[in-house]
Amino acid sequence: MGYIIGQNIIRKEAFNKVTGTAKYTDDFIATGIYHADLLVSPYAHAKIISIDISAAASAKGVKKIITGNDINVLCGPLIDDKPPLAKEKVRYHGEPVVMVVADCEQNAKAAVAKIKVNFQPLPVVNSVSDALKENAVLIHENLQQYKKNVSDVYPETGSNVCGHVKIRKGDLQKGWQESELTIESNFTLPQSDHAAMETRAAQCQIMPNGRVIVCSSTQAPFSVKEQINKTFQVPIEDIDVNVLFVGGGFGGKAAVQLEILAYIAAKAVDGHTVKIASSREKDMITTPCKIGLEAKIKIGAKKNGKIIVAEMHYNVDCGGYADIAPRIAKAIAVDCAGPYNIENISCDALSVYTNHPVATSFRGFGHTSLSFCIERMMDKLGAALNIDPIEIRMINALTEGCYSPTQVKVTLSNTGNFGECLNKLKTLINWHEGQRIVESNHLIRAKGVGCFVKTSDSPTNAISGVLLTFNSDGSINLNCGAVEIGPGMKTTAAQILAEKLKMDIGRIQVKMEVDTQTSPVHWKTVASMTTYMVGRAVISAAEDLIRQLLNGAATILRCTPEDLEIAEEKIFLKTDQKIYLTFKDIVHGFQYQNGNSIVGQIMGRGNFIMNQLSYLDKETGEGKAGPYWTPGAQAVEIEYDTIQHTYRILKAATVVDAGKVLNPKTVKGILMGGMCMGLGLGTSESFIYDAEGIVQNTSFRTYKMMRYGETPDYLIDYVETPQLDAPYGSRGLAEHGIIGIPAALANAISLAAGIDVTKLPITPEQIWQQKEGVRQ
Amino acid sequence: MIAFDFAYFRPETLKEANETYKQLIIAGKLPLYYGGGTEIISMARAGSIRFDAVIDIKSIPECNTLCVENNQLIIGSAVTLTKIAESGCFPLLGKTVSRIADHTIQDKITIGGNIAGSIIYREAALPLMITNSKVKIIKKNKLHELPLLEIFDGNLHLQNGELIVQFLIDTNYLNLSYCHVKKTKLDKIDYPLITLAAIKTDNGINAAVSGLADKPFLLPVKILNEQDVPEAVRADKTVGAIQNNIIGDLIIAGKEYRMFVLKNVLVQMFENFKEAQYAGI
Amino acid sequence: MLAFKDKSIISLNINGDNVTVMVNPSYTLLHVLRENLGLTGTKPGCENGDCGSCTVLVDGWPIKSCLMLAVEAIGHQVITVEGLKNAPIQRSFVENWGFQCGYCTSGFLMVCHALKNIHPDADDFIIEQWLQSNLCRCTGYGEIKDAVKAVLENKI
């Protein structure tokens, strides 16, 4: 049992959040600042013929109007393919076209309404398959001319493909020869929204001395800094990005967009502070959303259920611009087989431009989509062979000694114990009572399973850091560059430090805000990597402190550092605990009775860098994308009405190999939140486009998410197979609750209704269509 | 944030309200009567309506009445849906309005506003349409009482400056057996795929639906009450009789599915009228 | 008759205090609470009445302040999250892990607080009806359920 690890620790900012005092970006209220608003494209694909700003320019309070022609830059995290304001043409419904800067929000908005843009509609690429057709309309005619910011992204000239990741493992031909059974299926998943409750917001001020001060609701303050530097050649040391609390991110706030616009706006008004905050409608389509996916999977198996070979095509709908989608396609390719061992694999993951809103990272980073496909395939295989769904997964489970699709050797430490997750799931969901139970009143109760394994796809040199300083009373200040977006990361960092120093967590103060000038760099608060990366940096910083404390105390207490031990803010002799110094005595220097002083201020520095990660081979995909995998097994139990074709979700279960659960209630909360969101994806969340690519549901009135009372009983359990290089064995765990849930729901509904679900979300209307054979 | 400015008036009497409206018109302004304001504010924010002034009717005593007088339930047009539901004055209406939007907004939406609004569902009207309800409107500074259906065929037909002051429902209707069914695409808080409100009088079933067409409408009484015809057949015939009214859309549901759901709802309604006296679903 | 034709000085009762603010009649209560009074605990989540993040109490009942004009609040008592002084629901949300990012929290607190006052005996149906007015994107509502129940059952 640890000192504090494994205990429920209330988040440090809890009382600030229940009193309305916790501040978020848009809570910065000041008189005299300017507001920016955007005119966005009403078309999905159109030429901009002319823009008439004359009426708006003379409108009340207007300070500046900026169009694409005023800015001569392209930006993007991987490929510089996006003008901050559309130039010559628009590529998605909601794309920013004109920005108005005015003295207040109302005047900015009123002026936007006075701008007249003359568009000439172009043929719309309204799906991935449209985009991949021969002679498809090209969304980016000059794809080959774009600057790439990374070497390992491969756009295909003369096409709508902005990235292509290949996995070639084993011998496909041999695999097909050995197969006794082939299953093939196509899947379609729509784009959808992050819908964090706080819409995205940013402010920028440019000081007379050149300093660019940005405040933003971002998960990636250091990326904001880099992108402003790269796009506008502002010296990186002049850019300071501040982040307060962030009202939910789910990946959506890792993309950089409003910050660029805020910078452009501030620059245009002589550096004056400009604030830009998305309305909900713009937050849904103007700023990035979740990827869509079209996939085609073919597997070959033995009659005993063992999968021998798989051929997979995952085509990611990245919308009008690439953003980070090629990395999501990479993530899909890296884990293309799910938590299963398949010896022979061919996988092609494309990122494909369409005239849909731009997609970016979203909770699960592509894994929810890929798991949907793989987990439906597992059920189809099980059904074809009359093998129980959990059994078929067990037969194929990824175990120690197997090789991943990118040919990384699986160990218990780096991948945990997936089989044990399946075993525990069986108990949790009461599997033995049966999977499809016919009840009275035309009701059927059914259970479906969905599993996952997930690694991260960070840059191979992603870093994190922690700085520790002492207050004069011996309490500690912890400063790290991870953003508090909701999962309680800052508190987890304090918990890890408290464990390492065996001290009261109440005596550790964590700086909640991130300020890129003083906070150590942390790659991004994404990918379920924060506990791992920051945690490692915390331990490293604590070790630095401990070394200094022991050395200092050894001098004062006239012993060797090895004679001493630290706990409860005391440094004491192992042999006689009555001989000790307190942190207070020493951390700001120790003073002898005659006034002589030694030791000085003690500060801890800790850092972390990813090691052993490598680029994937362009032709085979061989390489190591992330430091470890987190595996898990999930299930959903539904009640289906055979007459109305409606269903209710009764239970949702998750078993995950957590390595070690650090803060149980916090971890459970994050998992339940993910499961709830997964049920949202399964039941209702999706962008609906008309034939012209116009998104029809841009408000919460029509974009439906789970509400109180619609959620099931959550059942959660853990396997704890320690990850040897992680803080206290704790495997990264955050996004995972969402990953297998849509698949589990689809499997449950497929079984209950006797249909083949290959699309999400699953509405009663769609079940009815399949049951009644009605054409859509 | 609403991008344009407008004036706000909160009259204390009907006369003041009417006079204010008139004066604004004379001054060349476009006024709107304002109840809960939920639709006006959201549409104004979206830029889909523009006006120069709102006349908030919530301080007018007649518009706030909720009482029974002379065997009539009188509901002022500015009474909120929450107040109607919590009062228990008319169970079918209470049930219907407590499924409009969500609970918090129900405390802002007024019955008059829901019925006069531009959102096509106007579910609060359903119970009134099937109970021979009357309305009191103010017209040229005078109160007129007339049957609801004379000015409301699913859409409200009032002239500029006219205002519904009260709804009047004969108390005989209030405690009849009723049926309320709201079917959504999936979520509980959503616009209706179908909302049906029905009562059973001595003369048979009266029912009205919302969500199927671009406005609420009455279901054909004759077909619903063909005593010799099995209920499932009556349900089919009803669907058949109104199928030309039914619309489909991208967001909520296609036309065929709406017909399928309507049939189920009707079958359920018949069942419920057989089984229970009060059948809210 | 109250009449405001243009930018006007109005008096509101917010959290028990009478405050004077200069507003346009078109300003929503949400806007005035935040921008004029600095009460930023009330959050804009959609400004369309769909999410409930901006919920405040008006005469004790929850109201979405994005769908109310500030001038409509004249003559009414408005309570925001800043006016909940150590209400049991606040501690209950903390102790039951009722939030993560905290953005929707103020709105949920106001609804739960009003529910406890108006329906202290609320059953599951009423709780559901009231709390369905708000969206939370971080939790799966499980802990919010625990938090509101703890208060209704006087466990906090």
Side-chain angles (χ1 to χ4, degrees):
Chain A
M1 189 63 199
Y3 179 81
I4 188 172
I5 290 302
Q7 291 179 30
N8 291 318
I9 306 296
I10 290 175
R11 61 178 62 237
K12 292 231 158 217
E13 76 281 16
F15 279 95
N16 302 349
K17 284 184 172 173
V18 294
T19 49
T21 41
K23 293 285 181 210
Y24 301 77
T25 302
D26 203 36
D27 293 341
F28 171 75
I29 308 290
T31 50
I33 64 172
Y34 295 166
H35 292 253
D37 202 353
L38 298 170
L39 181 143
V40 302
S41 171
Y43 292 95
H45 200 193
K47 247 189 185 157
I48 301 169
I49 304 295
S50 63
I51 301 177
D52 177 1
I53 59 165
S54 53
S58 57
K60 191 171 125 195
V62 170
K63 299 293 173 187
K64 201 85 185 177
I65 297 182
I66 306 156
T67 71
N69 286 332
D70 301 321
I71 318 157
N72 202 19
V73 298
L74 290 173
C75 57
L78 305 174
I79 303 169
D80 281 351
D81 63 354
K82 188 170 77 163
L85 294 169
K87 217 168 177 165
E88 290 164 18
K89 72 172 190 172
V90 290
R91 296 180 171 89
Y92 68 94
H93 173 215
E95 180 169 0
V97 179
V98 187
M99 179 160 57
V100 173
V101 184
D103 59 352
C104 72
E105 189 187 344
Q106 194 180 22
N107 287 340
K109 198 174 166 184
V112 165
K114 293 191 163 81
I115 298 168
K116 293 186 190 75
V117 185
N118 187 4
F119 292 99
Q120 182 192 323
L122 294 168
V124 172
V125 179
N126 207 3
S127 69
V128 167
S129 31
D130 276 0
L132 293 175
K133 274 185 189 145
E134 239 178 282
N135 302 320
V137 172
L138 290 185
I139 293 164
H140 292 264
E141 299 85 349
N142 302 320
L143 180 56
Q144 72 284 359
Q145 287 166 23
Y146 291 145
K147 184 173 153 272
K148 292 200 297 178
N149 297 311
V150 290
S151 57
D152 57 337
V153 168
Y154 312 107
E156 294 177 358
T157 305
S159 79
N160 286 314
V161 175
C162 61
H164 186 168
V165 181
K166 292 181 201 170
I167 302 290
R168 301 288 182 267
K169 179 191 166 195
D171 182 341
L172 226 59
Q173 211 183 349
K174 183 165 158 271
W176 291 121
Q177 277 164 5
E178 287 174 11
S179 296
E180 296 165 344
L181 172 80
T182 305
I183 309 262
E184 195 172 345
S185 189
N186 294 338
F187 301 97
T188 311
L189 302 170
Q191 287 189 327
S192 59
D193 195 42
H194 303 83
M197 295 317 297
E198 177 206 28
T199 61
R200 282 161 270 216
Q203 290 152 32
C204 181
Q205 179 181 19
I206 305 170
M207 304 298 279
N209 67 358
R211 286 195 66 74
V212 174
I213 300 176
V214 177
C215 183
S216 157
S217 58
T218 177
Q219 295 173 249
F222 297 93
S223 302
V224 171
K225 192 168 157 147
E226 275 168 31
Q227 287 207 38
I228 291 176
N229 159 257
K230 169 182 78 76
T231 308
F232 303 102
Q233 280 79 52
V234 179
I236 195 131
E237 70 269 23
D238 278 343
I239 307 162
D240 192 12
V241 181
N242 300 309
V243 189
L244 308 172
F245 286 112
V246 173
F250 316 113
K253 289 173 181 163
V256 181
Q257 183 184 27
L258 290 189
E259 298 87 349
I260 299 262
L261 291 171
Y263 172 79
I264 291 169
K267 185 85 182 163
V269 292
D270 302 323
H272 203 95
T273 302
V274 181
K275 180 171 175 172
I276 182 166
S278 291
S279 65
R280 176 55 63 187
E281 293 79 2
K282 289 195 181 103
D283 198 70
M284 292 187 83
I285 56 169
T286 298
T287 52
C289 63
K290 178 184 89 63
I291 59 160
L293 181 76
E294 289 180 16
K296 183 180 181 146
I297 316 278
K298 188 177 163 191
I299 55 174
K302 291 275 193 196
K303 283 188 178 149
N304 63 9
K306 181 78 194 126
I307 302 171
I308 304 291
V309 59
E311 208 174 315
M312 314 187 231
H313 295 271
Y314 292 102
N315 299 328
V316 169
D317 181 352
C318 67
Y321 298 96
D323 196 75
I324 207 82
R327 285 288 184 255
I328 305 175
K330 175 192 165 191
I332 289 174
V334 164
D335 290 333
C336 62
Y340 309 107
N341 179 42
I342 305 177
E343 303 280 348
N344 308 296
I345 297 176
S346 166
C347 169
D348 292 88
L350 305 183
S351 13
V352 184
Y353 288 128
T354 65
N355 291 123
H356 288 164
V358 178
T360 191
S361 50
F362 176 88
R363 193 178 225 170
F365 208 62
H367 287 71
T368 311
S369 308
L370 97 87
S371 292
F372 177 78
C373 307
I374 291 297
E375 294 301 314
R376 280 296 295 131
M377 293 303 287
M378 295 309 288
D379 262 36
K380 285 168 191 249
L381 178 63
L385 293 169
N386 204 16
I387 298 176
D388 170 274
I390 288 190
E391 186 53 33
I392 193 84
R393 287 167 170 82
M394 203 63 106
I395 291 169
N396 290 289
L398 199 59
T399 52
E400 209 178 355
C402 298
Y403 285 84
S404 80
T406 67
Q407 302 174 48
V408 177
K409 191 169 181 181
V410 167
T411 68
L412 267 181
S413 169
N414 77 8
T415 309
N417 191 338
F418 170 58
E420 193 49 32
C421 293
L422 279 172
N423 278 330
K424 280 201 166 179
L425 183 72
K426 268 178 145 170
T427 314
L428 204 59
I429 198 78
N430 200 11
W431 190 254
H432 76 267
E433 72 166 344
Q435 208 198 337
R436 187 178 192 274
I437 298 147
V438 179
E439 306 199 314
S440 56
N441 298 326
H442 324 288
L443 296 176
I444 289 172
R445 201 150 54 78
K447 298 166 192 174
V449 175
C451 302
F452 61 83
V453 69
K454 181 183 183 297
T455 188
S456 59
D457 291 86
S458 70
T460 55
N461 61 349
I463 54 173
S464 187
V466 162
L467 290 175
L468 302 174
T469 56
F470 278 105
N471 298 304
S472 57
D473 66 350
S475 60
I476 298 182
N477 304 305
L478 192 162
N479 183 3
C480 67
V483 176
E484 185 49 71
I485 53 177
M489 179 51 230
K490 300 280 193 181
T491 305
T492 306
Q495 194 183 6
I496 291 169
L497 182 61
E499 176 73 28
K500 185 73 190 169
L501 294 175
K502 298 192 190 71
M503 71 183 279
D504 177 6
I505 190 171
R507 299 268 296 159
I508 298 169
Q509 300 306 323
V510 189
K511 187 174 146 80
M512 287 292 160
E513 302 78 24
V514 172
D515 157 7
T516 58
Q517 191 180 5
T518 58
S519 303
V521 175
H522 176 72
W523 165 53
K524 295 177 187 176
T525 308
V526 298
S528 309
M529 276 285 142
T530 314
T531 300
Y532 176 66
M533 296 177 67
V534 173
R536 285 277 300 266
V538 166
I539 287 172
S540 145
E543 281 165 355
D544 189 32
L545 273 192
I546 290 168
R547 188 180 46 74
Q548 296 172 58
L549 288 164
L550 293 179
N551 285 340
T555 309
I556 298 156
L557 297 175
R558 281 163 278 195
C559 60
T560 68
E562 292 74 29
D563 294 330
L564 296 168
E565 206 172 302
I566 292 176
E568 309 290 349
E569 297 179 43
K570 285 178 186 161
I571 309 135
F572 53 85
L573 269 182
K574 287 176 186 167
T575 51
D576 183 356
Q577 297 198 11
K578 288 195 189 104
I579 298 177
Y580 67 88
L581 290 168
T582 63
F583 282 7
K584 182 174 187 280
D585 296 332
I586 186 171
V587 293
H588 282 186
F590 179 82
Q591 197 171 29
Y592 289 96
Q593 275 179 350
N594 71 351
N596 289 172
S597 300
I598 59 164
V599 182
Q601 188 179 171
I602 292 177
M603 292 179 278
R605 301 170 310 166
N607 77 80
F608 171 81
I609 184 164
M610 292 285 180
N611 60 36
Q612 309 289 317
L613 301 192
S614 60
Y615 297 125
L616 301 189
D617 182 272
K618 190 181 173 189
E619 298 307 324
T620 67
E622 186 175 354
K624 191 173 177 192
Y628 59 84
W629 283 269
T630 303
Q634 300 183 291
V636 170
E637 182 176 328
I638 60 151
E639 187 183 77
Y640 167 68
D641 180 322
T642 57
I643 291 184
Q644 305 198 55
H645 305 305
T646 52
Y647 63 90
R648 258 179 354 118
I649 301 159
L650 304 176
K651 289 176 185 167
T654 296
V655 182
V656 57
D657 192 337
K660 172 75 196 167
V661 177
L662 299 180
N663 189 346
K665 280 192 115 169
T666 295
V667 171
K668 189 177 176 196
I670 295 163
L671 285 174
M672 291 193 292
M675 292 160 76
C676 180
M677 203 183 267
L679 292 170
L681 293 182
T683 58
S684 54
E685 290 188 41
S686 80
F687 280 164
I688 300 166
Y689 320 95
D690 70 4
E692 302 305 317
I694 304 303
V695 182
Q696 302 295 297
N697 50 343
T698 61
S699 82
F700 291 161
R701 200 72 64 86
T702 44
Y703 182 95
K704 307 308 286 186
M705 298 183 287
M706 301 294 283
R707 286 182 186 258
Y708 185 98
E710 294 173 339
T711 52
D713 287 339
Y714 297 104
L715 309 168
I716 294 181
D717 202 355
Y718 305 98
V719 173
E720 292 188 317
T721 313
Q723 179 188 329
L724 302 177
D725 63 334
Y728 302 101
S730 175
R731 199 164 276 110
L733 183 52
E735 305 160 274
H736 305 80
I738 196 173
I739 300 176
I741 290 291
L745 177 70
N747 283 336
I749 290 174
S750 297
L751 181 70
I755 58 171
D756 178 12
V757 176
T758 57
K759 288 177 185 172
L760 291 177
I762 313 158
T763 61
E765 182 175 11
Q766 281 159 1
I767 301 174
W768 168 79
Q769 279 166 346
Q770 279 208 39
K771 291 299 286 180
E772 314 282 325
V774 180
R775 204 166 51 83
Q776 207 165 349
Chain B
M1 177 107 251
I2 298 169
F4 60 94
D5 287 326
F6 52 83
Y8 174 85
F9 300 93
R10 196 197 291 176
E12 306 284 332
T13 63
L14 281 171
K15 195 170 167 232
E16 239 179 15
N18 220 241
E19 193 56 30
T20 306
Y21 196 99
K22 208 167 96 190
Q23 290 305 323
L24 284 162
I25 293 286
I26 289 168
K29 306 283 187 193
L30 175 59
L32 289 181
Y33 285 120
Y34 183 99
T38 55
E39 188 178 317
I40 292 176
I41 294 176
S42 47
M43 289 178 72
R45 185 185 67 91
S48 41
I49 48 168
R50 257 195 107 94
F51 45 87
D52 299 306
V54 295
I55 302 168
D56 186 346
I57 62 166
K58 290 196 290 289
S59 286
I60 300 170
E62 290 90 333
C63 296
N64 276 313
T65 312
L66 182 64
C67 67
V68 174
E69 252 173 42
N70 303 327
N71 295 323
Q72 281 190 320
L73 172 66
I74 307 174
I75 306 176
S77 56
V79 174
T80 65
L81 304 186
T82 297
K83 216 165 157 189
I84 292 169
E86 295 262 334
S87 75
C89 61
F90 182 1
L92 172 59
L93 183 62
K95 198 122 211 172
T96 307
V97 299
S98 61
R99 288 293 312 276
I100 294 174
D102 63 50
H103 180 266
T104 299
I105 304 185
Q106 285 157 19
D107 197 30
K108 194 82 187 2
I109 299 177
T110 61
I111 183 164
N114 182 259
I115 290 172
S118 68
I119 298 175
I120 60 173
Y121 306 107
R122 302 179 195 112
E123 292 158 88
L126 300 175
L128 306 181
M129 291 169 78
I130 55 174
T131 50
N132 285 326
S133 298
K134 299 190 189 70
V135 284
K136 239 183 218 172
I137 62 169
I138 184 150
K139 188 173 179 176
K140 294 188 178 146
N141 245 327
K142 285 209 181 80
L143 282 173
H144 299 260
E145 190 178 309
L146 61 167
L148 171 71
L149 295 180
E150 213 163 280
I151 55 158
F152 184 83
D153 61 1
N155 289 317
L156 186 62
H157 300 284
L158 287 180
Q159 300 301 311
N160 277 345
E162 295 175 2
L163 170 73
I164 298 182
V165 179
Q166 289 166 345
F167 299 91
L168 314 167
I169 306 108
D170 193 323
T171 49
N172 290 330
Y173 285 104
L174 301 183
N175 293 307
L176 293 175
S177 350
Y178 68 85
C179 176
H180 167 261
V181 187
K182 176 166 176 171
K183 293 284 182 196
T184 59
K185 184 178 181 178
L186 193 64
D187 303 71
K188 191 167 165 201
I189 305 297
D190 198 353
Y191 288 131
L193 187 57
I194 296 177
T195 295
L196 172 138
I199 51 158
K200 197 170 178 185
T201 68
D202 295 341
N203 298 327
I205 296 169
N206 271 353
V209 290
S210 160
L212 287 174
D214 58 2
K215 60 181 185 183
F217 63 92
L218 291 164
L219 292 181
V221 178
K222 222 176 126 188
I223 302 174
L224 289 180
N225 293 293
E226 280 180 304
Q227 293 310 321
D228 307 334
V229 180
E231 285 161 349
V233 178
R234 275 190 260 166
D236 274 334
K237 283 178 80 174
T238 306
V239 175
I242 62 165
Q243 64 171 320
N244 290 338
N245 294 355
I246 299 177
I247 52 167
D249 66 58
L250 265 178
I251 294 180
I252 298 182
K255 178 172 174 169
E256 282 75 19
Y257 181 63
R258 283 172 197 267
M259 288 164 62
F260 167 74
V261 176
L262 173 62
K263 195 198 156 181
N264 284 336
V265 166
L266 290 172
V267 168
Q268 204 176 333
M269 176 192 77
F270 287 127
E271 278 299 303
N272 285 322
F273 276 130
K274 260 196 295 196
E275 282 170 9
Q277 199 184 355
Y278 305 110
I281 301 152
Chain C
M1 177 171 73
L2 279 179
F4 303 105
K5 294 179 182 162
D6 212 332
K7 197 171 269 276
S8 312
I9 293 173
I10 64 169
S11 187
L12 297 176
N13 188 288
I14 312 286
N15 297 330
D17 293 332
N18 286 315
V19 296
T20 306
V21 282
M22 173 96 91
V23 305
N24 281 346
S26 67
Y27 286 176
T28 59
L29 179 60
L30 169 67
H31 180 84
V32 170
L33 288 173
R34 290 175 56 81
E35 303 283 331
N36 296 55
L37 298 168
L39 296 170
T40 55
T42 303
K43 303 294 186 201
C46 69
E47 293 188 78
N48 200 43
D50 300 322
C51 77
S53 299
C54 68
T55 306
V56 299
L57 304 187
V58 176
D59 299 335
W61 284 81
I63 288 287
K64 294 181 178 180
S65 63
C66 69
L67 291 186
M68 181 167 192
L69 299 174
V71 287
E72 278 186 270
I74 296 170
H76 299 280
Q77 308 257 327
V78 177
I79 304 286
T80 70
V81 68
E82 290 89 348
L84 290 182
K85 301 285 185 207
N86 298 317
I89 192 67
Q90 292 171 293
R91 199 152 61 82
S92 190
F93 263 62
V94 168
E95 292 180 0
N96 287 288
W97 267 250
F99 55 92
Q100 290 174 32
C101 82
Y103 201 83
C104 73
T105 312
S106 306
F108 268 102
L109 291 170
M110 302 319 284
V111 171
C112 295
H113 186 69
L115 176 63
K116 167 73 179 169
N117 289 337
I118 292 168
H119 287 295
D121 304 320
D123 58 14
D124 283 352
F125 179 81
I126 295 178
I127 298 173
E128 186 176 309
Q129 193 182 27
W130 281 57
L131 269 64
Q132 280 192 330
S133 304
N134 294 54
L135 285 167
C136 170
R137 194 60 164 166
C138 295
T139 74
Y141 302 101
E143 303 96 329
I144 293 176
K145 188 177 187 174
D146 296 342
V148 67
K149 286 204 155 183
V151 166
L152 285 168
E153 290 161 13
N154 296 314
K155 287 182 181 158
I156 295 267

